[in-house]
Amino acid sequence: MKCLLVANESAEVLFYWTDTEFEQRVQGQYGVSQEEGERLPAFEDSINTLFAPIIISCSTMVDRLGENYTSFSTENNHIYVLHQFEECLYIAVNGDGDETEEDLKRKIFVMKKLTEIMFGMVTLSGSLLRKELRPQDTEQRNRLWKKLRSLLETYSRLRENDQSFLVEAVERLIHPTLCEQCIEFLERRLVQQINSNMDRMGEEVLHAFILVHTKLLAFYSSRNASNLYSSDLLALIILVQDLYPSKINLDDTSEELESSSVPEAFYTPEPSPPERESVRQRSDSPPVFQFVDPDVQMAEDSLQTLEAPIPDPSAPYRVFLEAKECPMPHSMYCLPLWPGITLVLLTKIPNSHVATSVCYFLEAFVKLEKRLCEGHEGAAAMRGQPSVQEQRSRLEKLIKTWAGMDIQTSQLQNAWTDFKNKAFSRSGSGFTRDLLPSCRNMKTQLCGVYRQFFAADCMGSQRLAPHLQERALSMVQEKLMDWKDFLLVKSKRNITMVSYLEEFPGLIHFIYVDRSNGQMIAPSLNVTDRTVSELGKGPLADFVKKKVWSLVATAQRYLQKGYATVTLRDGDYFYCYFLWFENETGYKLEVIDIPSSPDDSAPVGMLTCDYYRKLLRYYSKKHQNEVVKCYELFTVHLGVIPNEYILQHCSQLARKLWEPTRIPLL
């Protein structure tokens, strides 16, 4: 019984996702017709009818009280969590007890992150975001919604099964020699060869990385590239996993690798999504496995539907990644080397500098709007911003430049003329609250220019030439041909607890996270019945997995309240959590009081709102002359181990794990 919905202030549904149970409940409640051709629009009307009272109630509360609901529960124990982003209201619902309020809140913020990755600064304008999320063309809208639903389901699957998405940090494959060789190969051969080729159509490869399932093998950024934040990298991994889902739950992989005399037959590269679709739809042979969860099956069906209309597998995806100036548009190329191993290229597109200019003025109008809403008028409203005349002349020059680039600027020119007449003329109102509508209109029109330049449907044929992509694919395949089988097994046995048991008796599991670069290390957890690991077969590993997931949820809840250390006993087990700061040399810095977060703030994590980047900025204010690092350690011990030994273990384990994090990957 799960649902997530995005609506605007007019109670219009911009996007919704439901699982099968919730859909059946709505159909039973409103008597939705099951006739072919009527189901989708009828069900959408039912969803709108169901949520309209809540949406209208929230809008009324915001208008009259300036407050809104954050959550509530119903008599039948359904939990509703709500959050307002600009003009859009996000509502997440759970009725089967599988998700807590915190889980629903996290899902909402992850959904917001995915829309930002797909649409960039357009998300700042409610009217333009409505056009993106709810296109007038029904077929286009259904295709977009299926894509978003599939991404949401992919994230949920990764969150439930992958430790890196549990703590929201990137997991690296631990093999220093191979990692360094691959980084050198990406830099000196692959990226250099592509960027020097005339067929790159004005694009420039800024970042290149290799994924083995969800684990990072190698990452390279060119010298003139902005930092790729871990929050964006995690979001990109979701996109890759949505395109090429990992069969990580299949333990046939390692057995095939060890027993098959012709492993190449199993690891044949899949050249295009249509071929993958044809393989999935084959019904004359029994499937390797079958999903029993209808939600997961729905994701597979959605993925097949999405792939069908894509004629060209070389077409890139437009993504918007954080930079110091603004969300910068990139083209993303996902090139499958073999099943489970993917090469990803992120390229800078022509005219990307326009995004910086738009963002500069957009930020200025956002600040002005905020100060006007706070009651500041006249010169006080413009305090802290560059000269008004300087901004005025610069914007007018840019509008003329954009008009000469086949960009529709008439609405922007009209909005700017209206703003100038009210703000600068003697007959105008000046910088008072009466200027707010014009200020908001300028924000919308600037977002509109940004959309015209960088929206996905404006990409046309601009891309790296197909032969360049094929060349990149073959180069990396040649480099990793002798390693592919090893890498696929290594991704499931990255590190094991066996190597730590002698030194740390009683230690069951740990997760070590370097929050400065967003990377983590943890022993593998295999929970399928067919896998025999150091924890035994599936049920025991699954039991430990539940304990680890519970520990992380508890630690994050306390961290949000300002606690950097948590120790607690749970039956026969003892949990520990530590967060601390160090300088570059590894010297531990003094403990400070971590500010607690309000209840309606974003959940602790990196995908949701990059809590740790804000925490590092907060701590660095007192250490401005040195680089500050932040680390976390989660451990699960047997409860029979004395507390003093457990704490000693945690200290020694942190020192032991400190060195491997220095492997240069990002």
Side-chain angles (χ1 to χ4, degrees):
M1 290 288 288
K2 301 177 179 67
C3 174
L4 188 141
L5 176 133
V6 183
N8 60 17
E9 294 174 332
S10 303
E12 184 179 24
V13 175
L14 304 183
F15 167 76
Y16 73 87
W17 168 87
T18 64
D19 65 359
T20 306
E21 291 182 45
F22 194 93
E23 183 174 350
Q24 290 173 349
R25 174 181 173 272
V26 173
Q27 289 175 347
Q29 182 174 351
Y30 292 97
V32 176
S33 171
Q34 293 294 323
E35 294 182 18
E36 187 176 357
E38 295 184 11
R39 176 180 175 275
L40 281 176
F43 183 72
E44 186 179 327
D45 290 343
S46 300
I47 283 284
N48 203 0
T49 303
L50 178 66
F51 284 97
I54 300 174
I55 299 168
I56 295 171
S57 175
C58 288
S59 299
T60 304
M61 285 187 67
V62 171
D63 291 341
R64 296 184 179 180
L65 304 176
E67 296 285 347
N68 197 356
Y69 305 113
T70 55
S71 65
F72 62 87
S73 58
T74 61
E75 292 180 351
N76 55 0
N77 295 321
H78 285 200
I79 303 173
Y80 288 71
V81 173
L82 307 90
H83 200 94
Q84 187 92 24
F85 293 104
E86 300 294 333
E87 301 167 36
C88 294
L89 179 65
Y90 288 63
I91 305 174
V93 186
N94 181 270
D96 55 17
D98 287 348
E99 296 172 306
T100 63
E101 281 190 25
E102 198 69 13
D103 294 329
L104 296 177
K105 189 193 301 183
R106 186 177 300 276
K107 186 184 290 186
I108 285 174
F109 276 84
V110 169
M111 183 65 202
K112 177 66 162 55
K113 175 68 177 179
L114 292 174
T115 59
E116 290 172 348
I117 287 285
M118 294 178 68
F119 306 122
M121 284 193 293
V122 173
T123 56
L124 297 177
S125 168
S127 59
L128 291 178
L129 182 60
R130 178 195 175 279
K131 292 180 180 179
E132 293 287 359
L133 285 177
R134 192 181 175 84
Q136 289 186 350
D137 182 71
T138 304
E139 184 179 348
Q140 183 183 356
R141 180 165 71 245
N142 290 340
R143 191 161 58 244
L144 172 65
W145 284 10
K146 286 174 182 177
K147 179 66 176 176
L148 287 171
R149 288 164 184 162
S150 184
L151 287 172
L152 198 59
E153 289 162 352
T154 298
Y155 162 74
S156 298
R157 171 174 59 84
L158 294 173
R159 174 79 182 175
E160 291 172 6
N161 297 293
D162 198 306
Q163 294 180 90
S164 63
F165 280 86
L166 172 67
V167 296
E168 295 186 6
V170 179
E171 185 173 4
R172 314 158 309 160
L173 277 181
I174 307 299
H175 196 294
T177 303
L178 181 58
C179 290
E180 291 178 9
Q181 288 178 3
C182 289
I183 293 170
E184 184 177 352
F185 172 81
L186 292 175
E187 175 186 7
R188 298 186 180 179
R189 290 196 57 192
L190 184 71
V191 174
Q192 194 175 75
Q193 190 170 123
I194 294 176
N195 287 344
S196 61
N197 195 294
M198 299 298 292
D199 294 332
R200 57 190 175 92
M201 301 297 291
E203 296 197 358
E204 176 189 356
V205 177
L206 298 179
H207 308 281
F209 56 94
I210 301 171
L211 292 172
V212 184
H213 295 303
T214 59
K215 296 177 176 61
L216 187 65
L217 172 62
F219 187 102
Y220 169 73
S221 293
S222 61
R223 294 178 181 177
N224 57 340
S226 300
N227 288 335
L228 181 60
Y229 292 108
S230 297
S231 55
D232 282 344
L233 184 52
L234 286 167
L236 295 179
I237 292 174
I238 294 175
L239 292 176
V240 174
Q241 279 291 300
D242 185 61
L243 286 170
Y244 307 108
S246 288
K247 299 175 182 178
I248 199 65
N249 290 331
L250 283 179
D251 297 289
D252 305 73
T253 304
S254 58
E255 295 171 12
E256 289 269 358
L257 295 175
E258 294 169 4
S259 61
S260 175
S261 59
V262 192
E264 291 79 12
F266 183 76
Y267 291 108
T268 303
E270 299 167 325
S272 66
E275 286 195 24
R276 283 182 19 254
E277 184 184 10
S278 65
V279 171
R280 280 202 193 100
Q281 291 178 343
R282 187 177 58 195
S283 59
D284 56 343
S285 60
V288 179
F289 71 105
Q290 183 175 358
F291 286 117
V292 294
D293 188 343
D295 299 346
V296 182
Q297 186 61 53
M298 189 186 302
E300 287 293 302
D301 295 340
S302 300
L303 189 61
Q304 291 179 16
T305 306
L306 282 167
E307 290 172 347
I310 300 178
D312 187 359
S314 66
Y317 291 84
R318 179 57 47 82
V319 292
F320 297 87
L321 307 177
E322 288 185 67
K324 289 183 179 179
E325 301 87 3
C326 66
M328 294 297 289
H330 294 72
S331 290
M332 176 183 177
Y333 298 84
C334 297
L335 308 178
L337 303 170
W338 298 281
I341 306 179
T342 311
L343 169 67
V344 181
L345 303 175
L346 295 171
T347 63
K348 176 184 177 181
I349 62 175
N351 295 328
S352 59
H353 63 277
V354 175
T356 307
S357 302
V358 174
C359 188
Y360 173 81
F361 288 103
L362 195 56
E363 186 178 353
F365 282 105
V366 168
K367 288 181 179 178
L368 175 60
E369 180 186 6
K370 182 180 179 181
R371 295 189 70 81
L372 290 175
C373 288
E374 291 173 350
H376 300 284
E377 295 186 354
M382 296 297 294
R383 187 173 298 145
Q385 299 203 45
S387 165
V388 174
Q389 293 303 325
E390 178 187 337
Q391 291 192 71
R392 180 178 176 179
S393 60
R394 183 179 170 186
L395 180 56
E396 288 177 346
K397 288 179 182 177
L398 279 174
I399 292 175
K400 291 179 181 178
T401 303
W402 294 337
M405 299 171 69
D406 295 328
I407 296 296
Q408 297 293 327
T409 59
S410 57
Q411 290 183 324
L412 175 61
Q413 288 174 332
N414 293 337
W416 176 234
T417 301
D418 176 65
F419 182 88
K420 286 190 298 183
N421 290 338
K422 291 182 178 179
F424 302 117
S425 67
R426 293 183 179 179
S427 59
S429 59
F431 288 92
T432 64
R433 289 185 65 90
D434 294 337
L435 194 62
L436 276 172
S438 299
C439 187
R440 287 166 181 158
N441 191 24
M442 279 299 299
K443 280 173 49 185
T444 298
Q445 298 309 322
L446 284 169
C447 287
V449 170
Y450 182 89
R451 181 177 182 271
Q452 289 184 68
F453 270 106
F454 307 119
D457 55 7
C458 301
M459 292 171 65
S461 59
Q462 178 189 305
R463 68 188 68 169
L464 295 176
H467 74 84
L468 261 184
Q469 298 184 45
E470 292 169 6
R471 176 61 181 154
L473 199 64
S474 61
M475 286 173 65
V476 182
Q477 284 177 332
E478 182 181 350
K479 173 68 178 177
L480 296 177
M481 181 61 72
D482 296 334
W483 290 94
K484 59 169 183 166
D485 294 349
F486 166 79
L487 289 173
L488 289 165
V489 175
K490 180 68 174 173
S491 69
K492 300 169 70 175
R493 305 285 189 275
N494 198 16
I495 63 173
T496 61
M497 277 300 303
V498 172
S499 54
Y500 295 90
L501 292 181
E502 184 176 349
E503 191 172 352
F504 305 104
L507 178 64
I508 296 174
H509 194 75
F510 68 85
I511 302 176
Y512 178 77
V513 190
D514 182 347
R515 287 298 180 185
S516 307
N517 59 24
Q519 298 179 14
M520 57 86 74
I521 301 173
S524 301
L525 279 175
N526 300 293
V527 298
T528 53
D529 291 332
R530 298 185 59 181
T531 301
V532 180
S533 67
E534 57 200 333
L535 291 171
K537 286 195 175 184
L540 178 57
D542 189 49
F543 178 78
V544 174
K545 173 180 174 285
K546 290 178 180 178
K547 293 292 182 184
V548 172
W549 260 244
S550 174
L551 163 62
V552 172
T554 302
Q556 290 177 341
R557 190 164 61 250
Y558 277 101
L559 180 61
Q560 199 160 23
K561 295 178 180 178
Y563 295 91
T565 300
V566 178
T567 60
L568 59 94
R569 187 178 297 276
D570 178 18
D572 296 329
Y573 300 91
F574 195 86
Y575 296 161
C576 291
Y577 166 75
F578 302 94
L579 180 142
W580 71 98
F581 299 90
E582 297 178 2
N583 61 19
E584 258 189 321
T585 63
Y587 177 78
K588 189 174 180 180
L589 302 175
E590 71 273 13
V591 178
I592 64 165
D593 291 330
I594 295 177
S596 59
S597 304
D599 292 337
D600 61 345
S601 61
V604 169
M606 303 185 83
L607 265 174
T608 50
C609 204
D610 212 336
Y611 170 89
Y612 296 95
R613 203 192 313 170
K614 296 178 181 178
L615 185 60
L616 274 165
R617 281 200 295 263
Y618 175 81
Y619 192 91
S620 298
K621 291 178 182 178
K622 297 183 180 179
H623 297 269
Q624 297 183 358
N625 298 325
E626 56 185 336
V627 177
V628 177
K629 304 280 188 177
C630 177
Y631 300 92
E632 286 181 306
L633 179 64
F634 303 82
T635 64
V636 181
H637 280 80
L638 289 174
V640 295
I641 307 297
N643 293 359
E644 58 270 21
Y645 285 110
I646 291 177
L647 298 178
Q648 184 180 350
H649 280 182
C650 292
S651 177
Q652 293 172 349
L653 182 61
R655 285 197 297 270
K656 182 180 179 69
L657 294 168
W658 185 83
E659 276 303 322
T661 63
R662 298 302 183 266
I663 298 171
L665 281 179
L666 294 177

